[in-house]
Amino acid sequence: MDQTSGAVKERPKTEKRDPEMYQVVLLNDDYTTMEFVIHVLESIFQKSPAEAYRIMMQVHVNGRGVAGVYPWEVAETKAASVVDQAREAGFPLKAVAEPA
Ligand code: TYC
């Protein structure tokens, strides 16, 4: 077989690309108050009081929940804001940005 006849498998057509959108996931813990998590969801993620309560309970019951889906830089910034505000208030609340 000559050099160009395809003896080497070509890369599959699907190019590796960075995901377009990232979800900010809140994680449950035993110390952060429900009120504080609701406050964070309203102030950082612009959720209504009802939606903030729903997401907070989802995290409380299931261990994690999606606060919102954004382009990477926005998701990273919001996750960092959650952690900053939580540490300021003395809570261990965690938030991570991950591919949606
Ligand atoms: N589990 C916490 C409590 O019972 C409430 C809580 C909810 C904490 C969501 C973190 O992301 C969280 N006080």
Side-chain angles (χ1 to χ4, degrees):
M1 224 176 243
D2 67 61
Q3 289 272 299
T4 55
S5 66
V8 175
K9 266 211 174 136
E10 282 174 29
R11 264 214 300 171
K13 265 278 173 279
T14 48
E15 298 274 322
K16 281 246 168 68
R17 262 186 263 142
D18 285 344
E20 200 90 327
M21 300 293 274
Y22 287 74
Q23 55 192 18
V24 179
V25 176
L26 298 185
L27 302 168
N28 191 33
D29 67 74
D30 291 339
Y31 305 103
T32 305
T33 62
M34 292 182 170
E35 288 76 12
F36 184 78
V37 177
I38 290 170
H39 164 72
V40 154
L41 286 161
E42 290 179 7
S43 63
I44 298 177
F45 299 94
Q46 280 79 52
K47 301 301 180 189
S48 67
E51 183 66 355
Y53 180 81
R54 190 193 66 74
I55 296 169
M56 181 281 295
M57 283 307 293
Q58 152 84 21
V59 179
H60 179 67
V61 171
N62 293 334
R64 50 184 275 144
V66 176
V69 179
Y70 308 94
W72 182 79
E73 276 198 21
V74 178
E76 277 292 313
T77 303
K78 285 183 185 287
S81 296
V82 171
V83 173
D84 282 355
Q85 280 197 23
R87 295 305 170 272
E88 186 95 354
F91 293 126
L93 177 62
K94 282 187 189 162
V96 293
E98 62 182 40

